[in-house]
Each structure stands twice: as C-alpha cells, then as structure tokens.
Amino acid sequence: ADLQKYQPHYIFSVPLVYETLYSSIQRQISSSYPARKTVALALIKISLLYMEAKKIFEGTVLSNNPVKPSSISYMFNCVWARIIAALLWPLHNLAKMLVYNKIHSTIGISKAAISGGGSLPMHVDKFFEAIGIKVQNGYGLTETSPAVAARRPFCNVLGTVGHPIKHTEIKIVDIETGEVLPDGSKGIVKIKGPPVMKGY
C-alpha cells in the first residue's frame, strides 16, 4: 500500500520484498477474469522469451559452460536471437500497454529496484525484467559496509551480483591452497578495498 501511495522511482530492499511483490502480482492475475488472465499470462511468457533473446544478442546472458562456442556458432545464435526478438517486440510492447503499466502503477516502482542481503530467485529476477523493472542485484557483508559488487543498468546480467564497485578487488580462492580459481569455481571469497572494515 505504501509503495502504491508514494510511487517511488527506486526501491532498495531484500529479496523477500520482491518475492512478496511477485506473489502478489501472480495472485491478482490468477483472480482476474479468465480471458484477462489468459491474455496476461500469455503476454508475460512472450516478454520472458523476448528478453531472453534480447540478452543473447546483447551478450548479457550468464553461461555456466566453460567452453566458449565457436565464432560461427556464436554469430548464428546472435542472429537467430535478434530475429526472435524482432518478431516478439511488437507483442512485448503491447504487453507494456495492456498489462505492465497497470502493474507498475499498482506496485508503485517506476524505474528500478536494488536488491541485496540475500539470494534473489532467478524466476523473480526474470519476471521483473520482463515487465520493465530492472532489479540491480548486489553483494556485500556487514564487514564491507555493506556492498562490494553490484549490477549496473548497462550490464544487468541476471543470476549475478555484477562487477566489483570502484577501487575494490574480489577473487575466489581455493580453501586449502589459497590459489585463485578459474571462473565458475566454488571457493572462498577474498575482498580488498575501501569498503572492508579495518581489522579484516
């Protein structure tokens, strides 16, 4: 109710708030008239597909595959994704007018949201991006007062916490050897920079 009343441009919050908003929106859609519900859900699915294709040719998709695709394969994927995005773009814009503008006015967030303090579920992340609200996820600790990394509007890669903030270095090291691990590996996070409290 407060979000709808004050209509903030931006909101800073923990993931639970976005999960709650997501669930509330889904309930409202589910309780609407059958035809309206069907149209809304179909348009949301189309927007999810549109954003997925758009992110592929923009190069902002998180990949867990350590093997880089060949140049030909990469170019083909980009061209194909661009074609898919172009075909879905009119329907995505239609969804903005018919569905998403109403959602924006209901939840009150008009531009972007910043999430931190926990793991943001991917389906929630994708949903808000699809309806036009960019959630910029971040990572930090109490001892790093409080953020050391955050996603940027120009490079909002879902499933990540973005790049280190200015003058901050982050590396993932092996728990036993202390050696720096390759991308995608699990290990201990080591942080160096102004946000780190003295004594650490």
Side-chain angles (χ1 to χ4, degrees), residues 125-146:
D125 211 353
K126 287 183 175 181
F127 173 78
F128 279 108
E129 182 186 58
I131 67 170
I133 297 174
K134 286 189 175 182
V135 180
Q136 291 154 227
N137 202 14
Y139 173 77
L141 304 161
T142 302
E143 295 84 359
T144 58
S145 60

Side-chain angles (χ1 to χ4, degrees), residues 7 24-25 27 43 45 49 77 103 118 145 177-178 186 190 194:
Q7 297 282 309
S24 176
I25 293 166
R27 281 196 302 270
L43 289 173
K45 285 184 179 180
L49 291 172
N77 288 337
I103 293 176
S145 60
T177 65
K186 292 183 179 180
K190 286 198 171 184

Side-chain angles (χ1 to χ4, degrees), residues 41-61 77-96 100 125-134 158:
L41 292 176
L43 289 173
I44 289 170
K45 285 184 179 180
I46 287 169
S47 291
L48 288 168
L49 291 172
Y50 167 76
M51 292 306 303
E52 193 70 28
K54 184 172 180 283
K55 292 175 84 66
I56 288 173
F57 72 75
E58 287 179 345
T60 54
V61 175
N77 288 337
C78 286
V79 171
W80 181 247
R82 191 177 286 272
I83 292 170
I84 296 298
L87 292 172
L88 296 178
W89 179 78
L91 292 173
H92 174 65
N93 274 340
L94 179 65
K96 285 182 183 179
Y100 307 153
D125 211 353
K126 287 183 175 181
F127 173 78
F128 279 108
E129 182 186 58
I131 67 170
I133 297 174
K134 286 189 175 182
L158 304 193

Side-chain angles (χ1 to χ4, degrees), residues 64-84:
N64 293 323
N65 189 356
V67 180
K68 291 185 177 181
S70 65
S71 299
I72 295 175
S73 176
Y74 176 76
M75 287 179 61
F76 175 80
N77 288 337
C78 286
V79 171
W80 181 247
R82 191 177 286 272
I83 292 170
I84 296 298

Side-chain angles (χ1 to χ4, degrees), residues 1-197:
D2 287 341
L3 289 175
Q4 189 174 9
K5 178 181 178 181
Y6 293 104
Q7 297 282 309
H9 293 301
Y10 301 93
I11 179 173
F12 295 76
S13 190
V14 294
L16 181 60
V17 170
Y18 303 109
E19 291 180 62
T20 303
L21 286 172
Y22 169 81
S23 298
S24 176
I25 293 166
Q26 293 295 330
R27 281 196 302 270
Q28 287 185 5
I29 292 173
S30 297
S31 63
S32 59
Y33 293 113
R36 185 177 294 179
K37 173 185 172 182
T38 301
V39 170
L41 292 176
L43 289 173
I44 289 170
K45 285 184 179 180
I46 287 169
S47 291
L48 288 168
L49 291 172
Y50 167 76
M51 292 306 303
E52 193 70 28
K54 184 172 180 283
K55 292 175 84 66
I56 288 173
F57 72 75
E58 287 179 345
T60 54
V61 175
L62 180 65
S63 174
N64 293 323
N65 189 356
V67 180
K68 291 185 177 181
S70 65
S71 299
I72 295 175
S73 176
Y74 176 76
M75 287 179 61
F76 175 80
N77 288 337
C78 286
V79 171
W80 181 247
R82 191 177 286 272
I83 292 170
I84 296 298
L87 292 172
L88 296 178
W89 179 78
L91 292 173
H92 174 65
N93 274 340
L94 179 65
K96 285 182 183 179
M97 293 184 289
L98 296 180
V99 182
Y100 307 153
N101 287 341
K102 293 178 182 178
I103 293 176
H104 288 194
S105 63
T106 299
I107 64 176
I109 306 168
S110 61
K111 290 188 178 179
I114 291 86
S115 176
S119 179
L120 183 66
M122 182 64 93
H123 69 279
V124 176
D125 211 353
K126 287 183 175 181
F127 173 78
F128 279 108
E129 182 186 58
I131 67 170
I133 297 174
K134 286 189 175 182
V135 180
Q136 291 154 227
N137 202 14
Y139 173 77
L141 304 161
T142 302
E143 295 84 359
T144 58
S145 60
V148 294
R151 297 196 316 223
R152 312 299 201 270
F154 56 84
C155 188
N156 199 33
V157 181
L158 304 193
T160 75
V161 291
H163 293 87
I165 62 174
K166 195 173 183 180
H167 305 307
T168 301
E169 298 176 32
I170 301 175
K171 59 184 179 181
I172 311 298
V173 302
D174 185 272
I175 190 171
E176 295 179 354
T177 65
E179 294 182 358
V180 177
L181 296 171
D183 292 346
S185 303
K186 292 183 179 180
I188 298 297
V189 181
K190 286 198 171 184
I191 304 164
K192 178 183 178 182
V196 181
M197 289 184 179

